[in-house]
Amino acid sequence: MTSMSRARVARRIAAGAAYGGGGAGLVGAAAVGLVLAELRLARRHVGNGGAGRVPVAEGVYGHAYDIPGEPPLRLAMLGDSTAAGQGVHRAGQTPGALLASGLAAVAERPVELRNVAQPGARSDDLDRQVALVLASSSPVPDICVIMIGANDVTHRMPPTRSVRHLSSAVRRLRTAGAEVVVGTCPDLGTIEPVQQPLRWLARRASRQLAAAQTIGAVEQGGRTVSLGDLLGPEFEANPRELFGPDNYHPSAEGYATAAMAVLPTVCAALGLWPAAEERPDVSRREGFLPVAQAAAEAASEAGTEVTAAMPTGPRGPWALLKRRRRRRVPEAEPARPSV
């Protein structure tokens, strides 16, 4: 599928989400029987994001940067098992802990992590998670990171419904004053037990949803980072290193790869990234594009960020597409419990 075709599909899904359309599934009806048979077989080998033990990583990171009287930055994680960190054994290996430690090192300021992500969650659980994050007893986070979408694809949630829930979550968080970064749907075509033709269909569905998620999130004032194509080639080349024991969730190395992709965008959203790197670099094919085109390109290229730019143009809203360089994420230190 060409970039322009992906852009049209993503725009159609996002429009359906915005205007309340039910939307068709991401794969053709003729393939549904085969897909379901393959999916049942695959689910015997992988947990499909189901519940399991997740290390508790909440607390304050970067206590070496404590300054009396200055509160820590507040980071909240929302989403599914990938956001929660299922598949690893130590809190410091979860993406939330890695992001909190990396953000603390860049900001030279402690970071308080809160994680309300739920293994097995789909996008319709974001309403509950946002309510927890915005509870009156808790300060509004400075930044929220959402990782969601895999379970929407495997449970055949209509993509318009998926994007509608994500857009609503981003809008509520932005209205409350939090910056928002969305790690879009990962590439499910890389899961080792999944066979053809489900592998191809899963990859296609994942990328279509990721592009539509990008449009929905950016139009509500969030930023997105493509995880699918970042992790896809690396997971395929190194499945033993980047997948955990269940062959579904990332390993510690896999989560570190994802954190390295998301951290620069988290820092940029908070105004902490070097100003020189915020300008589009033509040599890296960065620049301003219609949001649907930027979303389609981001869905198929490693670690690509999309953020809102000019409010509108002849072809609709525009966005800035950036291909940020990956930097090493500091190893997460043990967190101090929040007080």
Side-chain angles (χ1 to χ4, degrees), residues 6 10 65 71 107 114-115 123 165 171 179 232 241 261 266 289-290 299:
R6 283 194 298 269
Y65 304 109
R114 186 170 184 209
N115 197 327
S123 293
H165 284 294
R171 181 171 61 252
E179 297 291 339
E241 289 76 23
V266 167
L289 295 168

Side-chain angles (χ1 to χ4, degrees), residues 77 80-85 93-99 145-147 181-187 224-232 234-235 242 249-266 302-304 324-329:
M77 299 290 295
D80 56 22
S81 55
T82 304
Q93 297 172 325
T94 63
L98 292 166
L99 285 171
V145 175
I146 303 174
M147 296 180 177
V181 173
V182 176
T184 56
C185 182
D187 184 354
T224 64
V225 179
S226 169
L227 296 183
D229 200 61
L230 170 79
L231 299 178
E234 298 189 15
F235 271 53
L242 294 178
H249 295 97
S251 64
E253 290 81 4
Y255 280 128
T257 301
M260 279 192 288
V262 174
L263 178 61
T265 300
V266 167
T304 307
R324 295 191 181 275
R325 297 171 178 84
R326 298 184 218 168
R327 299 188 177 190
R328 180 65 183 168
V329 175

